[in-house]
Amino acid sequence: MPSIVAHFDVPLVRCLDAEGRVVGDLPPLASDTETLRAIFRAMLRVRLFDTKAVALQRTGQLGTYASCLGHEALHVGIGSALRPEDAFFPTYREYGTQLWRGVKMSEILLFWGGDERGSAFAEQPHDFPWAVPIGTQMLHASGAALAFRLRHEARVALAIIGDGGTSQGDFYEALNAAGVWSLPAVFVVANNRWAISVPLAKQTAAQTLAQKAIAAGLPGVQVDGNDLLAVRSVLDDAIERARRGHGPTLVEALTYRLSDHTTADDARRYRGKEEVDRAWAEEPLVRLRRFLAERGLWTEAEEKRWTERCQEDIEEAVRAYLATGKPSPADMFDYTFATLPAGLAAQRAEALAAVEASPHG
Amino acid sequence: MPSIVAHFDVPLVRCLDAEGRVVGDLPPLASDTETLRAIFRAMLRVRLFDTKAVALQRTGQLGTYASCLGHEALHVGIGSALRPEDAFFPTYREYGTQLWRGVKMSEILLFWGGDERGSAFAEQPHDFPWAVPIGTQMLHASGAALAFRLRHEARVALAIIGDGGTSQGDFYEALNAAGVWSLPAVFVVANNRWAISVPLAKQTAAQTLAQKAIAAGLPGVQVDGNDLLAVRSVLDDAIERARRGHGPTLVEALTYRLSDHTTADDARRYRGKEEVDRAWAEEPLVRLRRFLAERGLWTEAEEKRWTERCQEDIEEAVRAYLATGKPSPADMFDYTFATLPAGLAAQRAEALAAVEASPHG
Amino acid sequence: MAKITLVEAINLALAHELAHDPAVVLLGEDIGPNGGVFRATVGLQERFGEGRVLDTPLAESMIAGLAIGMAAMGLKPVAEIQFSGFIYPTVDQMINHAGRLRTRTRGRLSVPMVLRTPSGAGIHAPEHHSESNEALFAHMPGVRVVTPSSPRRAYGLLLAAIRDPDPVVFFEPTRLYRLHKQEVEDDGEALPLDTCFVLREGRDITLVSWGAMIHETLEAAHVLAETGVEAEVIDLATLSPIDYETILESVARTGRLVVVHEAPRTAGLGGEILAEVAERAGYDLAAPPVRVTGYDVVTPLFKLEHEFMPSVNRIVAAARRVLEG
Amino acid sequence: MAKITLVEAINLALAHELAHDPAVVLLGEDIGPNGGVFRATVGLQERFGEGRVLDTPLAESMIAGLAIGMAAMGLKPVAEIQFSGFIYPTVDQMINHAGRLRTRTRGRLSVPMVLRTPSGAGIHAPEHHSESNEALFAHMPGVRVVTPSSPRRAYGLLLAAIRDPDPVVFFEPTRLYRLHKQEVEDDGEALPLDTCFVLREGRDITLVSWGAMIHETLEAAHVLAETGVEAEVIDLATLSPIDYETILESVARTGRLVVVHEAPRTAGLGGEILAEVAERAGYDLAAPPVRVTGYDVVTPLFKLEHEFMPSVNRIVAAARRVLEG
Ligand SMILES: Cc1ncc(C[n+]2csc(CCOP(=O)(O)OP(=O)(O)O)c2C)c(N)n1
Ligand SMILES: Cc1ncc(C[n+]2csc(CCOP(=O)(O)OP(=O)(O)O)c2C)c(N)n1
Ligand SMILES: [Mg+2]
Ligand SMILES: [Mg+2]
């Protein structure tokens, strides 16, 4: 009989069920009513923003756009759990986190509108911009966490990645590095069951994604990612653990991509309506709204007022976005290096002359 | 209280202790005395070959060489467990496996002597040559296993990698791919505790390397890699499982690099003598020799005769190696593509002319 | 015969080889039920089964590494990288193994694989979806690099790439995927990989380009023709190894050369071609040769992509400079 | 002042920056107690501690990605890749992030990192340990590429690379690590990254090279001098962005150009330089310029490495061809 030399469990944390009923231990946040209300407002706001962004794309006013529909509890949960001095490493759909952390709606639109100024983040100094090459951001987070560690700063780096992203070598290398140096990092897998058209079962034979932590010697936790209270409960612990120098955690958040992958995708090609309908029954806003409403912390009237307020803000952001002129061709050159090398200066002049000669290309 | 949604154990398999005493269930092989004797002879042979190769390097007759000292049970275990039609994907020190599978000693010397003909393997048609870029071979094994699977061939791909190699993204990607398609692959981690100067504790926070399998949803097993019977017991199961279409396995073999990393390395810079002395007490030949001797299956006289026989073979291989002339500069060009493109033909002519003009460079 | 687009021609070639060679296997992200993000593999999994058209996990180093292992064991894998901006994780496997296995084993093992990828800017795609990085692969010994510029050449060159016994990186210009239609006969006839294609004959100046930029280059030739300048337009097609004979023969007649590509200028293939022509036909040149290329900057997001890509005007202006030079 | 080797000069520069700038952190495989496989970091962990000199797990994509994250958060990481044959897994991080972060965030974030790696053949190293792949990195916008060819330039250029606010890939020619000694003052004086170095003045022909091949190029100049030919030898040093002014000024005087490098010819940097000179100074050229390079083959194992690397004879022969041309 072989002896057992190591042993691992993967826990799943839930607080509320799909109807907002309590089904697990509630975190302290559950009694912090003002924060909870702010979080719900932010979830609603990003849902409204997302709807508008898709509409802008459909009407030819925005490029390809990646919707965050269905991820609101996870994204706002992350945003609200981090401190300003922490650093966030997104993929390309975590607007709920970004808005909380100072990124503007107009910046998000600029990015998807094909304008680098969208990643300049006027009011968010150190968060990374969107990481489109899947998995790469994980290493940046470990690197940032290493910097915090070496400088003895009480800051945490948090990276998010999709279920598909967990197949990338960079994902694993980042976890392993974080383990070796016991870095102040939190890694969140947004398991929304699909990587474009590839379902989780074709992505990995692992029964959970949380267990991928075991490979790096990290704790891995599964959480209902549509359950804001559970998300915060797990994240608060993981972030606190990281901040105290006790090392990184991998959190697998179970959620669902209710939208197409991006506006360039048509999910009906590869997944059935019933599956999506079932997922809608689990979506994150309903249950938190009900939890709050039943405790007298949210009313229909409030929802109406807040929705109107958000729509105004969104319209203003859209106006700001649409009013933003084309960047100067000079911008292509001026941020390539801190100072412009001679050869590039000549190309810059050539480019400006070419535009001058024929402004329409 | 969170619920537990997944649960994993990592077993360790041992059969013989350092003195050759039985400490676990013996595999059927233990009673196959002829095979066992052949395996022990192969282990002795590769030890003698390895000693000679190091000596050749020390006397300027060979380039940098990576010794396999201490890995003989693992390497010959793998060689003897595979069938000829299976495919083997080595790193750069598995001579024990390669010799069993038809690679010649003179070819090994040619490779380390700076000659591509060392990887031409006159008598081994499909095994991959040495993989120096750490981790890359893992994906080749998964690709080969995928080919076997798609063609419904009852063949197995076996790749080996070091403890250091388990930090590479390719390692993980290969495991994950093998899991998804339930490929006929076996992955062996030779955990010899060091990656050049980096000890295991700086390589990963994982308490075992076998548990890295969990990330990909594969079974992971730890085995005493200096214990031939345990190695074969675990490998036979894993290979059988793969061959029957039941999927891949990750095997972590605990062993020790008794030599310097390569002849270009000086391990005294980074590890203590006591550690190495302790490891010598665990080395793989002693215990198998004792196991056999105590059962009357091996004698000192046999050992002497076999050693002499091996020395003769080795001397002959060395002569063949040393007698192999320099390759033609044309060889640089003639195997770049299946047919020589025009531009390369011109460069080939130029190279031959340059050599003609000044044969000494 | 119906006219089809370039991406349909790719699909046709893939289907042809899947039907005729059991060793051909397709793999990549979203190439199965979804038919590829550009629809290049649409219908193929349905037709040939999951054993011939494989959706892979999301990892490009993995895709290349698997293809190498498959190819060395006798299959002919055709792997798709979803966009060329995501091809970089394959570089290690392509240079250290795919292009190397034949020579390092002295012909015992070889890697008859194809790595297909959409390439180039101009379709208002998101960040990292518009790169031109063919030069990186052209610098790899043992690796062929091919790019078509019409549906017919897409069909014929892709067949050739799949049948080639060595690794081929096959760049498909996204901007051309649906731009033109052409009659393409599904006759299984491959085009050669050792020759450029002369798309337009001319005595005054030689314009060399490839992929999507062929479009602007031909337009520039048209503009030049309005002022009586007859430009010869050569589609390089196989970017490595390069067929210099066709180019040198043309330059020997015209004495003037412009090379056009979308990739950044420094260490791009334009430099390679100008250099080789300068070396071997320097005395044939009536004026210094010129490159018209993307600038040495990151491919900008789409608001500026047209300012980045060589325009017809820039090509015409360069040609006039060379003609006056 | 004691004379030191090139690798000792690297060590000296690293020690200087570690001592003077608390933001500098070294990371890489075996750079700690082992002092690096070439001894470039010997003694540094002992002197500056494990918080400044970090042995990493074995993963090159990880090393580059960590360095990017560290750099964006204000450190100045100096990462070692053990051999240039293992640098390919960094390509994705270098091109998609290191060279891109400043422009895509419009200057909000930047990546002041250095990626050091030994490079080139000629030391009888094992497979994959002798590659020259600088051209791949020179094609990346936003990335500087630098290589020294003497102990003094190694010291000064490495200081400059570490202090540069943008990513620098720093190739160290292994063949020169211990070949020569030179007096190097540890004065913290960096050399500029925007200029070539004229190592030998001459009026008859311009020879441009870099890294280890500077050695053969200077020898070739010496041989040529025996027959009265005065060759100007330029060490490119910063391979991207290239200082063309120095080269063009030289070619304007000599009218003749030979570029020498060890990397394969196709899409190598020799093509880049010949092309730019042909474009901008075509009329100055008295004869077609010529490249002397490694062949378009995989760097062979060491029995043939000298047949692969450009020899003094090949350089001299090329120069004579250009002089007679
Ligand atoms: C390296 C890389 N390969 C491929 C792509 C194309 N791509 C964009 S998103 C995506 C799927 C990602 O799935 P997942 O990680 O689950 O994230 P999700 O989109 O579901 O949030 C793919 C394949 C990419 N962006 N980067
Ligand atoms: C990709 C890559 N990086 C670095 C190296 C240099 N290198 C050669 S062996 C080695 C250590 C390998 O350690 P391990 O995987 O434990 O195998 P072992 O040598 O102990 O058998 C390193 C870093 C390499 N060969 N490939
Ligand atoms: Mg997903
Ligand atoms: Mg090891």
Side-chain angles (χ1 to χ4, degrees), chain B residues 14-330:
Chain B
R14 298 176 63 207
C15 294
L16 303 182
D17 71 7
E19 274 75 42
R21 282 181 301 249
V22 174
V23 293
D25 296 346
L26 293 184
L29 175 71
S31 42
D32 177 353
T33 55
E34 264 328 293
T35 305
L36 263 193
R37 280 164 44 86
I39 287 173
F40 183 73
R41 285 198 300 267
M43 286 167 61
L44 192 51
R45 183 183 175 89
V46 74
R47 167 84 49 103
L48 295 166
F49 168 75
D50 191 70
T51 308
K52 180 67 187 184
V54 172
L56 286 172
Q57 191 282 334
R58 298 286 183 231
T59 52
Q61 298 173 88
L62 194 67
T64 301
Y65 171 79
S67 164
C68 66
L69 190 65
H71 302 74
E72 297 86 355
L74 177 60
H75 294 169
V76 177
I78 293 170
S80 61
L82 290 171
R83 294 190 191 157
E85 67 268 28
D86 296 335
F88 178 56
F89 298 81
T91 73
Y92 39 79
R93 48 170 119 251
E94 294 80 17
Y95 318 118
T97 315
Q98 292 180 310
L99 293 175
W100 193 285
R101 292 180 60 74
V103 175
K104 298 186 205 170
M105 290 189 282
S106 58
E107 291 173 325
I108 298 169
L109 296 175
L110 275 172
F111 174 72
W112 293 110
D115 193 324
E116 281 80 1
R117 288 171 292 182
S119 294
F121 297 174
E123 289 168 20
Q124 168 43 254
H126 52 254
D127 282 3
F128 262 48
W130 294 276
V132 173
I134 304 284
T136 53
Q137 75 281 6
M138 296 287 289
L139 286 166
H140 307 155
S142 288
L146 182 52
F148 301 157
R149 174 68 182 261
L150 294 175
R151 285 194 305 235
H152 310 292
E153 295 171 343
R155 298 166 70 185
V156 174
L158 187 148
I160 188 165
I161 189 167
D163 46 305
T166 64
S167 296
Q168 287 282 12
D170 279 4
F171 164 79
Y172 168 72
E173 292 182 4
L175 260 53
N176 193 57
V180 164
W181 289 299
S182 197
L183 298 180
V186 177
F187 304 107
V188 177
V189 177
N191 179 0
N192 65 11
R193 319 304 165 99
W194 291 92
I196 309 186
S197 72
V198 179
L200 191 58
K202 297 205 164 174
Q203 200 62 248
T204 185
Q207 63 197 100
T208 71
L209 299 178
Q211 77 198 52
K212 291 182 183 272
I214 298 168
L218 314 187
V221 190
Q222 220 180 35
V223 64
D224 182 339
N226 293 342
D227 173 354
L228 183 276
L229 289 173
V231 165
R232 276 297 303 265
S233 168
V234 166
L235 282 181
D236 288 358
D237 286 355
I239 290 170
E240 178 71 6
R241 189 171 171 266
R243 201 180 307 282
R244 285 176 181 274
H246 298 159
T249 306
L250 178 70
V251 176
E252 175 191 6
L254 298 167
T255 181
Y256 193 86
R257 197 193 78 211
L258 291 168
S259 63
D260 291 334
H261 169 67
T262 65
T263 53
D265 176 49
D266 179 358
R268 288 169 305 182
R269 283 189 201 128
Y270 51 79
R271 68 181 187 189
K273 192 176 170 317
E274 305 78 56
E275 177 183 317
V276 182
D277 288 346
R278 273 197 309 277
W280 266 109
E282 301 274 333
E283 74 90 32
L285 265 71
V286 164
R287 68 178 88 175
L288 188 57
R289 183 187 286 115
R290 204 170 287 182
F291 178 85
L292 292 171
E294 281 171 7
R295 284 156 186 77
L297 300 170
W298 192 251
T299 64
E300 267 182 48
E302 265 182 302
E303 175 127 354
K304 187 159 174 292
R305 271 202 311 280
W306 178 248
T307 300
E308 282 162 12
R309 163 84 189 280
C310 289
Q311 299 293 20
E312 280 166 31
D313 293 352
I314 292 166
E315 284 310 323
E316 195 184 309
V318 170
R319 275 193 301 274
Y321 156 64
L322 293 174
T324 305
K326 204 170 152 153
S328 162

Side-chain angles (χ1 to χ4, degrees), chain C residues 194-322:
Chain C
D194 59 357
T195 177
C196 316
F197 297 89
V198 179
L199 302 189
R200 186 184 198 286
E201 299 193 352
R203 56 170 191 267
D204 298 323
I205 187 167
T206 304
L207 310 181
V208 176
S209 190
W210 53 90
M213 289 312 305
I214 282 290
H215 186 65
E216 280 70 27
T217 305
L218 281 170
E219 250 187 81
H222 190 72
V223 172
L224 290 167
E226 287 168 10
T227 56
V229 173
E230 288 306 326
E232 182 140 311
V233 176
I234 297 180
D235 179 359
L236 195 61
T238 292
L239 312 187
S240 179
I242 295 176
D243 161 29
Y244 276 116
E245 298 318 313
T246 305
I247 297 172
L248 290 170
E249 188 276 322
S250 176
V251 170
R253 280 184 287 105
T254 64
R256 297 171 200 273
L257 173 68
V258 174
V259 180
V260 183
H261 64 69
E262 197 176 305
R265 179 183 184 86
T266 295
L269 276 179
E272 169 58 33
I273 297 169
L274 258 68
E276 186 82 6
V277 170
E279 281 182 281
R280 293 172 63 183
Y283 293 115
D284 290 341
L285 289 171
V290 160
R291 293 180 273 182
V292 183
T293 70
Y295 303 110
D296 285 322
V297 302
V298 171
T299 314
L301 295 194
F302 66 75
K303 271 191 187 170
L304 285 176
E305 67 182 338
H306 282 283
E307 283 72 10
F308 172 79
M309 292 157 56
S311 62
V312 174
N313 281 346
R314 277 178 67 204
I315 302 170
V316 170
R320 292 214 195 285
R321 233 165 41 241
V322 174

Side-chain angles (χ1 to χ4, degrees), chain D residues 79-189:
Chain D
E80 177 175 305
I81 299 297
Q82 208 162 75
F83 287 89
S84 63
F86 311 132
I87 205 171
Y88 306 115
T90 73
V91 165
D92 185 33
Q93 289 284 353
M94 293 309 292
I95 194 167
N96 271 339
H97 293 293
R100 193 166 182 133
L101 200 56
R102 180 187 292 281
T103 195
R104 63 195 294 256
T105 63
R106 289 300 180 244
R108 184 173 59 90
L109 296 174
S110 60
V111 184
M113 69 178 278
V114 177
L115 199 65
R116 295 176 43 241
T117 189
S119 172
I123 57 162
H124 275 215
E127 194 170 16
H128 298 280
H129 287 66
S130 302
E131 328 300 301
S132 294
N133 43 34
E134 66 274 10
L136 302 186
F137 293 88
H139 194 49
M140 299 182 184
V143 174
R144 282 196 166 75
V145 181
V146 177
T147 188
S149 67
S150 74
R152 228 175 275 155
R153 276 189 299 283
Y155 177 82
L157 291 172
L158 183 52
L159 287 184
I162 299 174
R163 293 173 193 171
D164 191 87
D166 290 302
V168 179
V169 183
F170 195 84
F171 289 99
E172 300 170 4
T174 50
R175 198 151 53 89
L176 302 188
Y177 264 155
R178 296 187 167 79
L179 197 64
H180 297 299
K181 293 194 171 194
Q182 212 177 25
E183 289 190 344
V184 179
E185 202 177 335
D186 188 15
D187 54 7
E189 288 291 326

Side-chain angles (χ1 to χ4, degrees), chain D residues 203-241:
Chain D
R203 57 170 189 267
D204 299 322
I205 186 167
T206 304
L207 309 181
V208 175
S209 190
W210 53 89
M213 288 312 304
I214 282 291
H215 186 65
E216 280 70 26
T217 305
L218 281 170
E219 250 186 82
H222 190 73
V223 173
L224 290 166
E226 287 168 9
T227 57
V229 173
E230 288 307 325
E232 183 139 311
V233 176
I234 297 179
D235 179 0
L236 196 61
T238 293
L239 313 187
S240 181

Side-chain angles (χ1 to χ4, degrees), chain C residues 41-61:
Chain C
T41 56
V42 71
L44 298 179
Q45 190 181 65
E46 217 174 334
R47 183 162 158 211
F48 297 100
E50 290 198 37
R52 304 291 302 286
V53 180
L54 285 75
D55 265 339
T56 66
L58 205 175
E60 286 73 16
S61 178

Side-chain angles (χ1 to χ4, degrees), chain B residues 116 119-121 124-130 136 139-140 142-144 147 150-151 170 173 177 181 331 335-338 341, chain C residues 51 55 59 61-62 65-66 69-70 72-73 75 92-93 97 101-109 142 144 165-166 241:
Chain B
E116 281 80 1
S119 294
F121 297 174
Q124 168 43 254
H126 52 254
D127 282 3
F128 262 48
W130 294 276
T136 53
L139 286 166
H140 307 155
S142 288
L150 294 175
R151 285 194 305 235
D170 279 4
E173 292 182 4
W181 289 299
D331 289 4
Y335 301 94
T336 298
F337 294 101
Chain C
D55 265 339
S61 178
M62 180 206 72
L66 291 177
M70 295 164 80
M73 295 299 131
L75 293 182
D92 185 33
Q93 289 285 353
H97 293 293
L101 200 57
R102 181 187 292 281
T103 195
R104 65 196 291 258
T105 64
R106 288 300 180 246
R108 183 173 60 90
L109 296 174
R144 281 196 167 74
D166 290 302

Side-chain angles (χ1 to χ4, degrees), chain D residues 17-36:
Chain D
E17 285 308 271
L18 281 165
H20 289 84
D21 185 347
V24 172
V25 175
L26 272 48
L27 69 160
E29 298 159 9
D30 304 293
I31 69 165
N34 197 39

